[in-house]
Amino acid sequence: MRSVRLSMVVAAVLGVLPSAAHAAMTYVPDTGTVARSRGGAFTAAADDPMAIVYNPAGFADQKKMQVYVDITAVRLNSTFQRANDAEGPHKKVTNSGAMKVSPNIIFSQGVGEKLVWHVGTYGAMGVNQQYPKSGPQRYTTSLLEPQQLSYGGGVAYRFNPMIAAGFTIGGMYITNHTEVTVSSVVDGDPPPPPSEDPANDIFAVLEVSSPFTPTGNLGLKFTPTPGWEFGLSYRPPVTARLDGTYKAKFASGSEAANEKVTLIVPLPQIIR
């Protein structure tokens, strides 16, 4: 028998930041519909094709043909209010970044009674941020648009009713577009203090990407009894090298920098 599984979710994150806070962070949910509903506790179960992320050994029990489509869209609705200081009262600014779409498209097929192969692409969760270039937050960020899309394939094998193992190997496509403002100062002895005068602003733009950064993960499932499942998954650390450009302009419009750059991003190991 053949089965086709189609799962689609559109999740919007609204009002994730409190209305009054001195500092706050953004929570980004886990990827995958079922895994997200379980708070990411999916390594032991791994009973749908999102096993490609959480534990590839989970494919060993998914012997029917599957086509899995899972799309998550997240938009961060946040407002920034800088505290009053010597520069005077500041206007409130709101994120107008585009909705971030993360697709997961996975295919798997059993071969015989013990072997299952899989292939797919899956996106990392995240949010886009965009604020006014002249806003009070401009020295932190004006635009942040990261993107990470992984792709690959692998196999899973059930050795016996208690033990299954699997792996996925592939790569990651990573891009980053960041815009931020820095303040320039004139020479002096002693040098003058930093200034927030817009006439001293330098607008900086970083655009980098990497079409291929190797990645992969290994997984094990241990089922001592039908009512108990244990899982273990490991992704080794990798270093991404993103090539691109760094450009900067003075507030007057003249060029301050235009260089080719390489951004080194160490990605830590993941043990689930």
Side-chain angles (χ1 to χ4, degrees):
M1 295 179 62
R2 292 185 176 183
S3 67
V4 177
R5 178 181 298 185
L6 175 64
S7 173
M8 180 175 292
V9 61
V10 177
V13 178
L14 300 176
V16 297
L17 298 181
S19 58
H22 295 291
M25 297 187 69
T26 303
Y27 169 72
V28 179
D30 294 282
T31 188
T33 306
V34 176
R36 184 183 305 109
S37 68
R38 298 178 182 178
F42 196 59
T43 306
D47 53 4
D48 72 22
M50 288 308 295
I52 197 172
V53 176
Y54 294 92
N55 186 353
F59 280 106
D61 297 322
Q62 303 175 43
K63 297 181 176 63
K64 297 179 181 180
M65 188 192 79
Q66 299 182 101
V67 177
Y68 179 94
V69 179
D70 179 296
I71 300 175
T72 300
V74 179
R75 184 180 185 279
L76 174 65
N77 184 9
S78 64
T79 298
F80 175 80
Q81 176 66 70
R82 178 173 167 178
N84 291 337
D85 52 28
E87 299 292 332
H90 301 279
K91 293 182 179 180
K92 184 184 296 185
V93 294
T94 301
N95 177 35
S96 60
M99 184 173 290
K100 181 70 172 291
V101 178
S102 297
N104 303 305
I105 305 173
I106 305 161
F107 176 86
S108 67
Q109 172 72 65
V111 180
E113 294 298 319
K114 296 185 177 182
L115 184 69
V116 178
W117 64 271
H118 62 273
V119 64
T121 181
Y122 44 98
M125 295 295 297
V127 295
N128 293 322
Q129 299 184 55
Q130 183 174 6
Y131 299 94
K133 289 186 177 181
S134 59
Q137 86 307 316
R138 65 188 185 278
Y139 299 115
T140 300
T141 185
S142 296
L143 180 70
L144 178 61
E145 292 181 337
Q147 181 66 54
Q148 177 184 320
L149 188 67
S150 299
Y151 49 88
V155 299
Y157 187 83
R158 177 156 289 285
F159 295 93
N160 54 53
M162 295 178 62
I163 300 175
F167 69 88
T168 299
I169 56 174
M172 291 182 288
Y173 171 73
I174 307 173
T175 67
N176 184 63
H177 181 186
T178 299
E179 297 183 9
V180 67
T181 298
V182 296
S183 180
S184 63
V185 295
V186 297
D187 291 334
D189 188 16
S195 170
E196 294 192 20
D197 183 348
N200 294 330
D201 285 352
I202 298 177
F203 307 103
V205 179
L206 176 69
E207 291 187 274
V208 291
S209 65
S210 171
F212 177 74
T213 297
T215 188
N217 59 351
L218 301 171
L220 291 172
K221 283 190 71 172
F222 177 57
T223 311
T225 66
W228 290 85
E229 287 185 316
F230 301 89
L232 177 65
S233 178
Y234 175 73
R235 191 196 78 175
V238 296
T239 299
R241 296 177 58 90
L242 284 68
D243 297 319
T245 60
Y246 169 75
K247 299 179 180 180
K249 290 185 177 182
F250 293 103
S252 62
S254 60
E255 186 176 89
N258 187 353
E259 302 177 5
K260 292 184 178 180
V261 296
T262 297
L263 182 64
I264 307 298
V265 183
L267 301 174
Q269 66 180 0
I270 297 177
I271 302 175
R272 303 179 190 269

